[in-house]
């Protein structure tokens, strides 16, 4: 089903649909993260629910190099920001897991 992806509500509806589908993957979302979609996501990122924000950040990790490079310079910086936060939270998670497992 084709969803409107030129408004915040359209992107929210599309991502809700993707996330509720059985077997969804970040790579399938990454294929649709065009420059236009990313500008809307960046401008309204805080308006999305936590689950959608997490899916967006994970999807950025799965973007192909050419797709990433085709984004405008401003979006490249923002996408790098998303990647930074992804790895930041990954490191925090790993340290917490270490503390739980090792009891340190």
């Amino acid at each position: 089903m084709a969803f409107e992806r030129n408004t915040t509500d359209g992107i929210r509806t599309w991502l809700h649909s993707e996330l509720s589908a059985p077997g969804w993957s970040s790579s399938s979302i990454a294929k649709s993260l065009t420059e236009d979609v990313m500008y809307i996501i960046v401008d309204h990122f805080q308006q999305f629910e936590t689950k959608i924000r997490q899916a967006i950040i994970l999807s950025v990790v799965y973007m192909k190099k050419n797709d990433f490079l085709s984004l405008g310079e401003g979006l490249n910086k923002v996408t790098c920001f998303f990647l930074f936060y992804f790895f930041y939270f990954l490191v925090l998670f790993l340290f917490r897991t270490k503390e739980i497992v090792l009891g340190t």
Side-chain angles (χ1 to χ4, degrees), residues 71-88:
L71 297 176
E73 185 178 320
L75 283 179
N76 275 338
K77 291 177 185 175
V78 170
T79 307
C80 287
F81 179 74
F82 283 156
L83 288 173
F84 168 77
Y85 269 103
F86 170 76
F87 288 111
Y88 173 76

Side-chain angles (χ1 to χ4, degrees), residues 9-75:
D9 289 332
I11 291 172
R12 182 180 291 112
T13 303
W14 162 61
L15 288 172
H16 271 294
S17 172
E18 286 284 332
L19 295 174
S20 61
W24 77 273
S25 70
S26 297
S27 61
S28 67
I29 294 172
K31 294 175 188 174
S32 300
L33 294 179
T34 62
E35 187 170 5
D36 297 338
V37 171
M38 286 296 290
Y39 271 116
I40 295 169
I41 288 173
V42 168
D43 289 343
H44 305 283
F45 190 70
Q46 293 301 321
Q47 295 176 9
F48 294 108
E49 295 81 14
T50 303
K51 185 176 180 179
I52 290 178
R53 289 189 299 215
Q54 291 170 347
I56 292 168
I57 292 171
L58 287 172
S59 297
V60 169
V61 173
Y62 282 94
M63 287 182 78
K64 293 180 181 177
K65 181 180 178 181
N66 290 339
D67 294 339
F68 180 78
L69 294 175
S70 71
L71 297 176
E73 185 178 320
L75 283 179

